């Protein structure tokens, strides 16, 4: 039944084309992006609606997709008869547009992008999802939602799973129930990156028609290390980036071309963007203010202000309030409590400068002999803080600061070349002759990261939170460097970015296309030693030495070097053939990994002995046949009028069984 989703996508794209974009520029990309947003809003609303009636199951999900497809098909036949178009004619126009776009990019650039896209697509489909956050809370939600038939909150040791925004997981929920497989999970981020690249090209074309700007901007966006790595995961930073860039494109498209469809697609982006990740608001806020001012200033726009603002508020609240309310009932806060640790607490202007500087320096680190380059930069950052009279590391301003070297993990990889290109693009934006609207776009993009730095404190994994900014900056990089570079450097720059990105596509530390074990055991140690790079390549470095995803077992991909000990415990669990399994976890436990490896027809899971406010949601009638704990609860305990004793311990994991 998974074919229902691409069928809906094709029908929605055709409908958007006929209804809105028959005579527009970039007609295929516009139609595709608009259709994707319609599909996403359908998933968000239908999931909440079905959850109200406890209908989160395969039959109900398939039924609503069939109804949705029938509705789109009826709309298509009506539009087709009104405008006298056939699908073959539309497909031919789309194909011609795609050919022209590829011709404009050039064969070499298309080939580079195709190689990156192919490698990441293969990994996204072949690899078992094993990102640490996904194992803890992104994917673990699905099993409990399906088990209870709705998307209500449940008792959980992992607070993020019942407080962090759920939209990406709603998409995973639909693909899983329609296909019965996890193989489509990582395609969401990969497809959102494809959408982002389409949006980057569309934004660039609003301001420039030169091929150089398009090549540089697209290659910049496609080769960012953190973007390449995340496109193969089930995180949600590329998903939220898609909605950010879509909203921004529609804002500028409406202001420039007066497309009313663009204006009313913005509320859809806001509703689902906020449902994906709260950082959506920070990146879109400057552009939203710019749109409001433009609408107030121009009489042609003024008449739409009330309906637009009302649509944005009503739709955003309607889509998000149910989840916020469920979270508020548990934590007395609509966004939970864990996110409060990521917020800045300022006592003066120096604190804000500190936040901006640390977010910037997060990307400036790199490998160097004796680590001299990083030591120099760290010294400058410490001098800045000393001059301002504040310590570099203050708890109210985030985590202790650490200079990056080189990291192939999707949580910590940074954008070394990207940040330097952005820094040098700032003076170019000032002095290069660009359209006024392009300069406004550039300054608003830089303002967006300043807004982000005002609210969000420095974190060691902050690079992935910066993804929307770097992708917003891609058109700026394309426009500035494309305007000043001669022909051959303008062609060389995308190639150099591609060469730098290729190792991240092939050697991800979480799910490598090629074996990182071979690379870090045979190739890298002599380089590391000869150049005195001082990079740790032992097991403590996030299980850096991994087998290719084509050969590694799911357990190895989940737990790395800890898999043998975990396997012993799971074999013991299965030997007991339990129907009900209880979990006692920490916030960082791999909930989804346990579910994946222990899943059987009729078997149910639940978190037990929960210590946070969600404990009120524990089912008093649930009496587990076994309890797997990642906390030591001693030799035994009572739970729901049943006694349990410790049966075994393996590598920091405890198995409790009922006492006889």
């Amino acid at each position: 039944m998974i074919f229902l989703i691409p069928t809906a996508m094709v029908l929605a794209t055709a409908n958007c084309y006929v209804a809105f974009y028959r005579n527009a520029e970039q007609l295929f990309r516009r139609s595709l992006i608009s259709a994707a947003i319609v599909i996403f809003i359908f998933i968000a609303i239908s999931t909440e609606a079905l959850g109200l009636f406890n209908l989160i199951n395969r039959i109900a999900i398939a039924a609503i997709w069939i109804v949705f497809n029938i509705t789109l098909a009826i709309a298509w036949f009506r539009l087709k008869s009104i405008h006298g178009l056939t699908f073959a004619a539309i497909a031919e126009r789309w194909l011609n547009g795609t050919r022209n776009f590829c011709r404009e990019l050039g064969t070499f650039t298309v080939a580079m992008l195709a190689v990156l896209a192919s490698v990441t697509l293969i990994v996204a489909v072949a690899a078992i999802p094993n990102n640490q956050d996904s194992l803890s809370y992104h994917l673990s939600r699905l099993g409990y939602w399906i088990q209870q038939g709705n998307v209500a909150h449940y008792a959980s040791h992992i607070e993020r799973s019942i407080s962090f925004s759920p939209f990406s997981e709603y998409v995973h929920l639909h693909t899983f129930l329609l296909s019965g497989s996890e193989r489509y999970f990582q395609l969401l981020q990969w497809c959102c990156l494809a959408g982002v690249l389409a949006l980057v090209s569309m934004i660039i074309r609003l301001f420039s028609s030169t091929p150089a700007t398009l090549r540089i901007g697209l290659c910049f966006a496609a080769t960012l290390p953190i973007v390449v790595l995340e496109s193969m995961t089930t995180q949600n930073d590329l998903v939220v980036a898609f909605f950010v860039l879509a909203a921004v494109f529609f804002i500028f498209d409406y202001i420039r071309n007066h497309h009313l469809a663009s204006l009313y697609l913005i509320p859809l982006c806001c509703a689902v963007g906020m449902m994906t990740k709260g950082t959506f608001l920070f990146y879109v806020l400057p552009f939203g203010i710019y749109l409001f001012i433009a609408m107030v200033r121009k009489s042609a726009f003024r008449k739409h202000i009330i309906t637009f603002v009302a649509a944005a508020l009503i739709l955003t609240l309607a889509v998000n309030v149910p989840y916020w309310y469920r979270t508020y009932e548990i934590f007395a806060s609509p966004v939970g409590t864990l996110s409060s640790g990521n917020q800045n607490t300022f006592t003066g202007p120096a604190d804000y400068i500190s936040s901006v500087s640390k977010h910037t320096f997060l990307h400036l680190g790199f490998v160097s002999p004796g680590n001299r380059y990083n030591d120099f930069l760290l010294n400058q950052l410490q001098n800045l803080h000393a001059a301002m009279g504040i310590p570099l590391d203050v708890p109210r301003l985030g985590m202790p600061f650490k200079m990056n070297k080189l990291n192939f993990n999707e949580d910590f990889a940074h954008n070394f070349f990207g940040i330097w290109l952005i820094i040098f693009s700032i003076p170019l934006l000032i002095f290069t002759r660009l359209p006024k609207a392009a300069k406004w776009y550039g300054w608003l993009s830089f303002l967006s990261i300043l807004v982000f730095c005002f609210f969000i404190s420095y974190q060691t994994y902050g690079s992935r939170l910066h993804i929307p900014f770097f992708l917003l900056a891609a058109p700026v990089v394309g426009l500035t460097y494309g305007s000043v570079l001669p022909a051959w450097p303008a062609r060389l720059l995308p190639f150099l970015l591609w060469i730098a990105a290729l190792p991240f596509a092939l050697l991800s530390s979480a799910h490598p296309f090629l074996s990182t074990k071979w690379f870090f055991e045979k190739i890298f140690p002599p380089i590391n030693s000869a150049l005195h790079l001082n990079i740790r390549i032992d097991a403590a470095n996030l299980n850096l030495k991994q087998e290719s995803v084509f050969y590694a077992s799911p357990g190895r991909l989940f737990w790395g070097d800890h898999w043998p000990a975990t396997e012993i415990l799971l074999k013991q669990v299965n030997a007991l053939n339990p129907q009900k399994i209880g979990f006692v976890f920490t916030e960082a436990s791999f909930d989804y990994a346990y579910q994946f490896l222990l899943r059987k027809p009729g078997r149910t899971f639940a978190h037990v002995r929960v210590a946070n406010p969600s404990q009120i949601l524990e089912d008093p009638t649930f009496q587990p046949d076994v309890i797997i704990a990642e906390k030591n609860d001693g030799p035994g305990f009572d739970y729901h009028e049943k006694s349990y004793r410790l049966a075994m311990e393996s590598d920091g994991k405890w198995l409790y069984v009922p006492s006889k």
Side-chain angles (χ1 to χ4, degrees):
M1 302 298 281
I2 191 66
F3 71 91
L4 290 168
I5 296 179
T7 300
M9 190 66 193
V10 172
L11 289 169
T13 303
N15 285 334
C16 288
Y17 167 75
V18 177
F20 306 119
Y21 303 122
R22 297 187 313 278
N23 302 311
E25 298 176 347
Q26 309 155 333
L27 50 91
F28 176 57
R29 280 169 283 168
R30 285 175 180 268
S31 303
L32 195 66
I33 295 299
S34 300
I37 293 168
V38 170
I39 297 292
F40 283 146
I41 198 74
F42 166 75
I43 291 174
I45 293 173
S46 64
T47 305
E48 287 290 341
L50 289 175
L52 290 174
F53 302 98
N54 295 325
L55 289 175
I56 298 298
N57 57 66
R58 187 179 187 189
I59 294 174
I61 292 291
I64 62 158
W65 277 97
I66 291 171
V67 171
F68 186 49
N69 274 279
I70 292 172
T71 304
L72 291 172
I74 293 171
W76 158 248
F77 284 115
R78 287 184 177 177
L79 289 169
K80 171 188 172 183
S81 62
I82 292 171
H83 298 283
L85 292 169
T86 65
F87 192 83
I90 294 174
E92 185 177 355
R93 290 201 66 186
W94 290 348
L95 189 59
N96 288 335
T98 303
R99 287 197 192 106
N100 291 334
F101 178 68
C102 292
R103 194 176 300 118
E104 188 178 13
L105 275 178
T107 304
F108 189 58
T109 303
V110 170
M112 289 192 299
L113 294 176
V115 168
L116 275 182
S118 299
V119 171
T120 52
L121 175 62
I122 291 170
V123 173
V125 174
I128 295 295
N130 68 333
N131 169 261
Q132 294 186 42
D133 283 351
S134 297
L135 298 181
S136 292
Y137 76 95
H138 282 301
L139 297 180
S140 65
R141 301 165 157 180
L142 306 185
Y144 302 109
W145 288 341
I146 295 170
Q147 196 170 277
Q148 62 194 19
N150 56 56
V151 289
H153 287 345
Y154 51 88
S156 177
H157 294 277
I158 304 170
E159 292 186 33
R160 291 172 295 173
S161 66
I162 51 173
S163 59
F164 281 18
S165 301
F167 174 72
S168 292
E169 290 74 49
Y170 283 2
V171 179
H172 300 324
L173 182 66
H174 282 240
T175 61
F176 181 77
L177 287 173
L178 289 175
S179 68
S181 171
E182 293 85 1
R183 291 299 180 188
Y184 301 96
F185 286 171
Q186 292 171 151
L187 284 182
L188 173 61
Q189 287 251 104
W190 189 92
C191 290
C192 281
L193 175 56
V196 163
L197 296 180
L199 286 161
V200 167
S201 71
M202 292 159 68
I203 292 170
I204 290 173
R205 279 297 166 258
L206 288 175
F207 311 124
S208 172
S209 59
T210 62
T213 59
L214 186 60
R215 291 191 200 102
I216 294 173
L218 267 182
C219 288
F220 176 88
T223 59
L224 292 163
I226 190 66
V227 166
V228 171
L229 290 167
E230 272 227 10
S231 69
M232 303 178 283
T233 73
T234 51
Q235 292 166 283
N236 58 13
D237 300 285
L238 282 172
V239 182
V240 76
F242 171 81
F243 293 117
V244 169
L245 268 78
V248 169
F249 168 75
F250 291 133
I251 287 170
F252 276 87
D253 185 54
Y254 174 68
I255 293 172
R256 177 180 173 178
N257 300 316
H258 301 191
H259 284 149
L260 201 58
S262 291
L263 180 65
Y264 287 101
L265 280 166
I266 296 169
L268 301 183
C269 294
C270 292
V272 191
M274 285 297 296
M275 199 183 204
T276 305
K277 205 178 187 81
T279 52
F280 172 88
L281 176 62
F282 307 137
Y283 289 113
V284 170
L285 183 61
F287 296 95
I289 295 172
Y290 176 75
L291 172 63
F292 183 77
I293 293 172
M295 294 182 74
V296 170
R297 292 180 61 187
K298 292 187 178 182
S299 58
F301 296 161
R302 212 171 292 148
K303 61 184 178 181
H304 298 295
I305 289 180
I306 294 177
T307 55
F308 168 72
V309 172
L313 288 175
I314 292 172
L315 192 57
T316 300
L317 292 175
V319 170
N320 287 277
V321 161
Y323 188 83
W324 290 343
Y325 178 71
R326 294 195 293 270
T327 307
Y328 179 83
E329 283 190 305
I330 303 300
F331 298 104
S333 167
V335 293
T337 58
L338 286 185
S339 59
S340 60
N342 300 331
Q343 298 171 4
N344 278 318
T345 303
F346 292 148
T347 60
D351 288 345
Y352 179 59
I353 296 173
S354 172
S355 178
V356 173
S357 65
K358 288 192 288 188
H359 279 290
T360 303
F361 272 66
L362 171 66
H363 297 278
L364 291 175
F366 203 60
V367 293
S368 63
N371 204 38
R372 288 191 290 271
Y373 168 77
N374 274 8
D375 289 342
F376 171 78
L377 285 182
L378 182 59
N379 188 51
Q380 304 313 306
L381 186 61
Q382 290 171 335
N383 289 341
L384 172 64
H385 281 74
M388 294 189 298
I390 63 171
L392 175 61
D393 296 323
V394 181
R396 68 175 184 274
L397 300 178
M399 299 178 179
F401 183 78
K402 178 184 178 182
M403 289 293 298
N404 280 322
K405 290 182 181 179
L406 186 63
N407 201 305
F408 289 82
N409 183 275
E410 66 270 10
D411 284 326
F412 304 104
H414 60 296
N415 305 312
F416 173 73
F417 295 110
I419 192 66
W420 280 114
L421 286 171
I422 290 173
I423 289 172
F424 287 124
S425 74
I426 295 174
L428 294 177
L429 188 62
I430 297 173
F431 297 110
T432 303
R433 295 184 62 182
L434 293 172
K436 185 178 179 180
K439 294 204 171 191
W440 269 112
Y441 173 85
W443 296 126
L444 289 169
S445 297
F446 294 132
L447 182 58
S448 72
I449 190 64
L450 295 178
V451 172
F452 175 89
C453 293
F454 181 83
F455 289 101
I456 304 300
S457 62
Y458 164 82
Q459 296 145 63
T460 55
Y461 49 81
S463 177
R464 59 185 177 84
L465 303 181
H466 298 161
I467 284 177
F469 165 67
F470 277 88
L471 293 173
L472 282 171
V476 182
V477 171
L479 290 164
T480 53
Y481 289 93
S483 299
V484 300
L485 289 179
W488 72 266
R491 290 184 175 274
L492 179 62
L493 179 57
F495 175 70
L496 295 177
L497 292 174
W498 178 76
I499 288 293
L502 202 55
F504 293 92
L506 295 171
L507 300 172
S508 160
S509 64
H511 34 241
F513 186 93
L514 303 177
S515 171
T516 56
K517 182 178 177 65
W518 163 79
F519 179 80
F520 285 106
E521 283 186 351
K522 305 295 183 183
I523 305 299
F524 189 69
I527 301 173
N528 194 23
S529 177
L531 297 180
H532 304 287
L533 300 180
N534 302 324
I535 295 179
R536 292 188 64 183
I537 55 175
D538 55 18
N541 192 359
L542 294 174
N543 295 304
L544 197 59
K545 301 174 186 177
Q546 297 286 352
E547 295 178 275
S548 167
V549 293
F550 304 109
Y551 303 105
S553 66
R556 173 66 65 175
L557 286 172
F558 290 148
W559 277 287
D561 295 335
H562 296 281
W563 169 236
T566 306
E567 186 178 24
I568 294 172
L569 180 137
L570 296 183
K571 284 183 176 179
Q572 179 64 31
V573 171
N574 279 323
L576 296 171
N577 195 29
Q579 290 299 103
K580 298 178 180 180
I581 298 178
F583 294 137
V584 178
F585 282 156
T586 68
E587 183 66 38
S589 294
F590 291 173
D591 190 345
Y592 173 75
Y594 285 105
Q595 293 183 46
F596 179 89
L597 293 171
L598 292 172
R599 188 188 302 147
K600 283 185 178 181
R603 182 173 282 179
T604 58
F605 306 97
H607 287 214
V608 301
R609 296 171 61 83
V610 175
N612 62 54
S614 72
Q615 62 183 316
I616 61 173
L617 300 177
E618 286 192 57
D619 180 1
T621 66
F622 184 79
Q623 293 184 325
D625 299 316
V626 299
I627 295 175
I628 299 173
E630 292 201 348
K631 302 174 184 176
N632 187 351
D633 274 338
F637 51 80
D638 292 334
Y639 181 73
H640 290 173
E641 300 179 355
K642 197 171 184 179
S643 296
Y644 293 84
R645 62 177 178 82
L646 179 63
M648 71 173 295
E649 186 273 334
S650 181
D651 194 26
K653 300 171 182 64
W654 292 264
L655 177 63
Y656 291 89
V657 299
S659 300
K660 295 181 180 179

